Amino acid sequence: MPKSPTQQMSAALKAVLVPVLQEAGFDGRFPRYRRDRAEVLHFIGLQYDKTGTSFFLEAAWHPPGDKTTSWGELVPQHELLLEHAPLEHRVRLQRHGGASSLPADWFSYEGLGDDAAAYRALAASVAGLLPQVEAWLARGEVGVNISPFAAR
């Protein structure tokens, strides 16, 4: 049975992007990764659109320690997820950055068919943009492919 485009994109991201994340100190399982440092927690997650034709990376930071949610639940540090980070601590890495985050701004793999090399090339281009994520996580710099949720 042939793989769907999303399965092919996932395979390419696992083969090309995930090793780069691991080299940068991120741990986890596809599509969620985190890097714990003494002074800050970093998160990266991949999100696909509903139609299975595009994706973006979301990155966030959270101070170390447990978090009490707005509804009173205590989440221990080791259980924190990207979704626990406040919106002002989150950005998206996408094909076109800026103030919006529409599917047209995301990384599209629509029409790649069964061309494994094309999926890998797209994954490599995304891996090449990871320095923008690192710059945002370290210094709040908003690169051309970064779309902030809110002002940092």
Side-chain angles (χ1 to χ4, degrees), residues 5-6 48-54 109-110:
T6 298
Y48 289 97
D49 69 344
K50 290 179 184 179
T51 61
T53 59
S54 63
Y109 53 95
E110 185 172 26

Side-chain angles (χ1 to χ4, degrees), residues 85-98:
L87 286 179
E88 62 270 15
H89 297 181
R90 294 161 68 171
V91 296
R92 288 182 175 172
L93 177 71
Q94 50 194 39
R95 188 169 53 96
H96 300 293

Side-chain angles (χ1 to χ4, degrees), residues 18-131:
V18 171
V20 177
L21 291 173
Q22 291 170 335
E23 287 176 21
F26 284 90
D27 291 318
R29 269 188 25 219
F30 192 82
R32 297 172 166 270
Y33 300 90
R34 71 184 272 163
R35 177 173 63 191
D36 290 15
R37 295 186 168 163
E39 69 281 0
V40 68
L41 310 175
H42 292 154
F43 301 94
I44 290 183
L46 289 106
Q47 302 282 330
Y48 289 97
D49 69 344
K50 290 179 184 179
T51 61
T53 59
S54 63
F55 68 95
F56 62 87
L57 271 71
E58 187 171 350
W61 65 272
H62 196 284
D66 302 341
K67 176 178 181 150
T68 302
T69 64
S70 60
W71 55 91
E73 176 188 2
L74 180 66
V75 182
Q77 177 177 313
H78 71 277
E79 293 181 13
L80 288 174
L81 302 171
L82 186 145
E83 293 83 353
H84 290 111
L87 286 179
E88 62 270 15
H89 297 181
R90 294 161 68 171
V91 296
R92 288 182 175 172
L93 177 71
Q94 50 194 39
R95 188 169 53 96
H96 300 293
S100 71
S101 185
L102 304 172
D105 298 329
W106 301 352
F107 300 104
S108 176
Y109 53 95
E110 185 172 26
L112 296 185
D114 290 328
D115 186 354
Y119 288 97
R120 289 177 68 88
L122 178 55
S125 72
V126 173
L129 299 175
L130 286 177

Side-chain angles (χ1 to χ4, degrees), residues 123-142:
S125 72
V126 173
L129 299 175
L130 286 177
Q132 291 184 53
V133 172
E134 292 286 9
W136 183 83
L137 289 170
R139 299 176 298 283
E141 292 178 17
V142 177

